[in-house]
Amino acid sequence: MLQTIYRGLTELGGPAIRLLVARRRAAGKEDPLRQHERFGVASRPRPAGPLVWCHAASVGESLSLLALVRRLLDARPELSVLVTTGTVTSARLMGERLPERAFHHYAPIDRMPWVRRFLDHWRPDLAVWTESEFWPNVLSELRRRKVPAALINARMSSRSFRNWQRAPGLIGPLLAGFRLCLAQTETEADRLRRLGAAAASCIGNLKYSADPLPADPQAADALRRAIGGRPAWLLASSHPGEEAIAARVHAELSGRVPGLLTIAAPRHPHRGAEVADAFAALGLRATLRSAGALPQPGDDVYVADTMGELGLFYRLSPVVCVGGSLVPFGGHNPVEPAQLGAALVYGPHMTNFAEITAELEAAGGALAVPDAGALTAALARLLADGGERDRMAAAAAAVAERNRAVVERVLGALEPLLAEAGIGARP
């Protein structure tokens, strides 16, 4: 019943959805040259041979897919992989990083005529979805066409679990449509089973298997020379409210740590000017990377408001504070800086990565702080004590390394579905 109501509402809402897409395009959130893909219209022909469709919501989810896509293609020379996402940023990153025989397309909006147009063209042999997007029309149409579907690296937060419990008639059939369901944690696997994913299990978090974020060597050399010997720390993927905290921390630390440089990389780079203004309002001199500038000796703050350069700043920042954790957002991926040799600090709101942070903390590779005062104290200690900083960084890197094989376990779990779809591995 709920699925029928949902389908009817999306059918009637076609004009409103088109208007919303137009407004998103005007705001820079849709690609004007590829907007038709959101309505199921393909931009390229379907390649010959078997095709696996992998779907991820946005940047973090799509990056975690890359290792799996490479493994699939390496073992199956006849295979092609279609990767869909819904954001402009993820589309650009996938265009840069997908290997040969894999390509990006925007996901169709979940309205049945557009979904059917998309599936009629691509005719996937297997669908692999990541994390926590459940689109009723897409999933019901895959089931009707008897396309096997798998949900991998699945997330189900406590809040989402409570909300979905109010709609068992909708979520139950959706989850039952996945032939395989691999959760990020045992807790989330249990929630998914209780909602209707009978075979949900946990074999680890695929984010551990993602390749380290790249960095341009020339850009790294230039930035390293500009920073020189200054003590520096990075606030990575920050959200509104966190830059003001970082400004107070910098003001407190600067008297104790001569030459201190704070690097702030907002989660959404278009906020760069806003972030710089937040620091300037507290009397700090800030420079924008998007303006082409390097940090100068008199700068207090360097605002890293560019896309695709976090790997560069992780490599050059001995201490990283993970954003989204000082405000109640849920935190961002701590594995990425751990892979690149940073000592990790984060606030009390890392619920999106609770099991990863527990493992990091147990190994001595990360430090959780409750507030700005504790963050100030932790940074002062880590910037002054290179030995402690190096021990934390090594412990975090060791946690990331010993979990890298998750992708092999995911691939092993997918093998029966691949075989059923006639996509065999090379002998």
Side-chain angles (χ1 to χ4, degrees):
M1 174 63 75
L2 288 176
Q3 283 197 5
T4 302
I5 294 172
Y6 174 87
R7 182 175 300 182
L9 290 174
T10 55
E11 187 71 19
L12 293 171
I17 296 170
R18 286 186 179 275
L19 178 61
L20 176 61
V21 171
R23 289 178 176 173
R24 284 175 53 83
R25 184 187 64 233
K29 296 180 180 180
E30 296 285 347
D31 186 337
L33 299 179
R34 296 173 60 188
Q35 177 183 303
H36 56 278
E37 295 179 14
R38 301 290 273 153
F39 307 124
V41 178
S43 295
R44 59 188 295 167
R46 185 196 189 280
L51 178 75
V52 171
W53 170 26
C54 294
H55 173 71
S58 57
V59 173
E61 295 90 338
S62 59
L63 289 175
S64 69
L65 270 176
L66 286 175
L68 178 63
V69 169
R70 291 193 185 97
R71 299 299 196 285
L72 285 168
L73 293 171
D74 287 346
R76 297 163 175 83
E78 80 288 358
L79 179 66
S80 298
V81 176
L82 162 67
V83 176
T84 59
T85 65
T87 67
V88 173
T89 303
S90 59
R92 186 179 67 78
L93 288 175
M94 289 300 96
E96 294 172 354
R97 299 184 190 179
L98 282 171
E100 188 178 354
R101 299 184 0 251
F103 52 93
H104 177 268
H105 192 283
Y106 282 103
I109 295 170
D110 196 41
R111 183 170 179 262
M112 191 59 82
W114 302 336
V115 168
R116 286 177 173 161
R117 181 187 295 158
F118 174 90
L119 292 174
D120 285 344
H121 178 83
W122 294 111
R123 305 186 313 279
D125 297 284
L126 172 66
V128 179
W129 282 35
T130 63
E131 302 227 358
S132 57
E133 282 212 333
F134 309 121
W135 294 112
N137 288 330
V138 172
L139 293 174
S140 65
E141 188 63 12
L142 285 172
R143 187 165 57 249
R144 188 183 73 81
R145 297 177 185 226
K146 297 182 171 55
V147 178
L151 177 64
I152 64 170
N153 224 43
R155 287 178 54 200
M156 180 58 64
S157 69
S158 58
R159 179 179 179 181
S160 294
F161 177 61
R162 290 193 299 271
N163 289 338
W164 278 120
Q165 282 183 308
R166 301 187 184 103
L170 181 59
I171 189 62
L174 295 181
L175 291 176
F178 288 111
R179 300 277 298 280
L180 175 70
C181 183
L182 303 177
Q184 292 186 12
T185 68
E186 292 290 355
T187 298
E188 287 163 312
D190 179 65
R191 290 170 183 160
L192 288 162
R193 284 191 293 268
R194 291 165 66 184
L195 289 174
S201 62
C202 172
I203 57 176
N205 194 320
L206 195 57
K207 285 184 167 62
Y208 278 119
S209 295
D211 290 336
L213 295 180
D216 178 80
Q218 291 183 331
D221 288 343
L223 189 56
R224 189 176 290 109
R225 288 194 300 270
I227 295 174
R230 297 179 65 179
W233 70 285
L234 168 66
L235 173 61
S237 299
S238 60
H239 289 259
E242 293 187 305
E243 296 91 8
I245 294 172
R248 294 197 297 273
V249 169
H250 181 99
E252 177 67 25
L253 278 178
S254 58
R256 289 186 273 166
V257 185
L260 177 67
L261 177 67
T262 293
I263 304 171
R267 178 67 172 178
H268 302 292
H270 66 81
R271 295 183 54 242
E274 168 194 330
V275 170
D277 289 344
F279 285 107
L282 292 174
L284 302 178
R285 178 173 164 178
T287 296
L288 290 170
R289 182 163 180 81
S290 62
L294 291 169
Q296 301 301 309
D299 291 338
D300 299 299
V301 181
Y302 190 54
V303 180
D305 58 335
T306 50
M307 287 303 308
E309 288 198 309
L310 261 183
L312 169 66
F313 293 101
Y314 285 151
R315 284 173 170 84
L316 297 180
S317 304
V319 184
V320 170
C321 178
V322 179
S325 68
L326 302 173
V327 294
F329 183 83
H332 290 293
N333 186 359
V335 176
E336 293 172 343
Q339 290 176 321
L340 294 172
L344 304 181
V345 183
Y346 38 73
H349 305 290
M350 285 293 285
T351 51
N352 290 343
F353 298 90
E355 293 205 6
I356 290 178
T357 54
E359 187 171 3
L360 287 167
E361 291 169 35
L367 180 63
V369 295
D371 52 36
L375 175 60
T376 302
L379 291 174
R381 188 172 70 253
L382 290 171
L383 290 171
D385 188 342
E388 181 181 358
R389 188 173 67 236
D390 290 346
R391 284 192 295 273
M392 280 185 63
V399 170
E401 181 59 31
R402 69 171 173 256
N403 285 286
R404 279 187 64 81
V406 169
V407 67
E408 305 301 340
R409 297 197 289 271
V410 172
L411 190 56
L414 285 171
E415 287 293 349
L417 294 183
L418 288 163
E420 179 183 325
I423 309 172
R426 181 168 41 205

